[in-house]
Amino acid sequence: LIQSWKKYINHLNTFTKKREIMPIQYLKKSPKTSSTDDTKTREIVENILKDIEKNKEEGCIELTKKFDKYEGDIIVSKERIEEIKKKLDQKTKDDVQFSHERVRKFAEAQLKNYGQDFEVELSKGLYAGQKLIPINTAGCYVPAGRYAHIASAVMSVTTAKVAGVKNIIVCSSPKPGVGVHPTIVYTADLCGADLILNLGGVQAIAAMTNGLFGSAPADILVGPGNQFVAEAKRILFGKVGIDLFAGPTEIAIIADQYADAEIVAVDLVGQAEHGYNSPAWLFTTSKDLAEKVMKRVPELIAELPELPRTNAEAAWKDYGEVILCDTDEEAASISDEYAPEHLEVQTKNLEWFHKRLKNYGSLFVGEETTVAYGDKCSGTNHILPTKGAGRYTGGLFVGKFIKTLSFQRMTKESTELVGAAAARLSRYEGMEAHARTGDVRLRKYGFSN
């Protein structure tokens, strides 16, 4: 703790010195910010979303009549698409294709060069590329309520450090008379934390976001937490980046008749102890295995110490599910529908499932591995998507701390095509000021539009 306090003082002095040598003068200061209207907007949007959740398609139709004064078909038919293709003038179609070709080429170059800097010539004299730049400050939240999550410090701080983040802040709930759990302090320091704060809960999230206690404001917040921490991150998202919208931890196991029922049951209980609302799901093609697991899980829970027993009992009672499937494909489909945070596969046909499965946070292939290995020390990150978010994102990785920033540069000659197309496209859209930024360059460089 003394060492952490010294680091904090040094960090504060450095931060103060930087502020002293970087004076700025506003020649024009905006009276408003991009967040000025957020509260009013949020209230309107929340009401609209509630209406649609209640009234479904009919709600969408009524709102479209109200706001857009449109009462036609919602789905654009194939016939309508073909009609537009025939009627739209060729010059407009050529300009749209011009834009499409360059965006497609750049996207293809990004895919080919994923995870690295590059530059490519999209057409004569038009160069575009990307640079990967680590964010400056990361705020890492390490839970220490029911359990001291030492591994969460490893997962977040280490990954940020490897990504090249210059300033890493760690917050964790303090215990009376002790402060942050000593092992969490040791772990955070070992992994590269620059500042460790005795703060937990919503106040920790707010402190890191707003740059309190001498730290720079965090550019991103990462790490698991309870529902209050998760909600604070959700509310502040936009002002600060976040890793993901996390819910209670989840486990799903796909198992067939060849799986070891004891191992399956133990692994389900292993995650259910996280909390009263931690889902544990079994997708199996074997009724015999399902019955053995359902009998064994309550017995295993009863053998646990009081706190994990209480959590696991409630989790299995209220959130546990066992789903009997006819085929491997059916098991894979239901798993992809659930998109579990942790997914174990204990079947004979491991390779097929590995290739087939698409939605999960982290996959554990075969009975030899288990979620706890990934949670603690095997190497993959345990900060993972929950509540079905595995359908659209993965978990924490170095890329979360690195901005992929695009750039472009052009020769004057390339403006003849690009400037003219941009000006015309802008006018198609009704954006005259956009169009004139192309016009002014075309005139300066001696081209006609």
Side-chain angles (χ1 to χ4, degrees), residues 223-402:
N226 63 22
Q227 63 266 41
F228 300 103
V229 169
E231 182 63 13
K233 289 168 68 176
R234 188 190 70 81
I235 290 171
L236 291 169
F237 177 60
K239 182 175 183 179
V240 64
I242 66 171
D243 46 2
L244 41 80
F245 294 111
T249 193
E250 305 163 352
I251 182 174
I253 300 178
I254 297 175
D256 61 14
Q257 68 269 32
Y258 301 100
D260 185 323
E262 181 71 8
I263 288 179
V264 171
V266 168
D267 285 2
L268 289 170
V269 174
Q271 288 301 296
E273 78 167 339
H274 267 282
Y276 71 92
N277 54 357
S278 294
W281 305 312
L282 172 61
F283 314 135
T284 180
T285 52
S286 170
K287 187 175 182 181
D288 180 62
L289 177 92
E291 290 173 346
K292 289 178 180 177
V293 170
M294 291 172 65
K295 177 179 181 298
R296 190 71 180 113
V297 165
E299 295 171 351
L300 292 167
I301 291 173
E303 298 169 0
L304 293 172
E306 183 180 358
L307 178 58
R309 182 176 70 248
T310 302
N311 289 337
E313 280 177 349
W316 182 247
K317 175 179 175 290
D318 294 331
Y319 296 89
E321 291 184 349
V322 177
I323 299 177
L324 185 62
C325 306
D326 288 332
T327 64
D328 286 351
E329 175 59 36
E330 197 173 88
S333 294
I334 194 70
S335 179
D336 277 347
E337 182 181 326
Y338 276 60
E341 178 189 17
H342 307 99
L343 176 59
E344 295 185 3
V345 180
Q346 299 185 29
T347 66
K348 184 179 182 180
N349 198 359
L350 294 174
E351 185 177 355
W352 182 87
F353 275 104
H354 195 177
K355 290 179 179 179
R356 166 63 182 79
L357 292 164
K358 295 178 174 63
N359 299 339
Y360 50 81
S362 191
L363 185 66
F364 301 81
V365 183
E367 73 168 34
E368 295 83 3
T369 186
T370 183
V371 172
Y373 293 178
D375 271 356
K376 306 304 177 187
C377 60
S378 64
T380 56
N381 208 290
H382 80 189
I383 300 171
L384 300 166
T386 61
K387 294 185 174 180
R391 293 177 293 107
Y392 59 82
T393 188
L396 188 66
F397 74 117
V398 290
K400 289 283 187 179
F401 298 99
I402 298 174

Side-chain angles (χ1 to χ4, degrees), residues 14 24 30 113 115-117 164 185 199 245 249 263 279 288 326 338 385 414 417:
T14 301
I24 60 173
S30 61
N113 297 281
Q116 57 187 335
D117 294 357
V185 172
L199 285 176
F245 294 111
T249 193
I263 288 179
D288 180 62
D326 288 332
Y338 276 60
S414 64
L417 288 177

Side-chain angles (χ1 to χ4, degrees), residues 137-156:
T137 302
C140 300
Y141 188 84
V142 181
R146 289 185 296 254
Y147 309 103
H149 290 274
I150 296 161
S152 288
V154 177
M155 302 290 170
S156 57

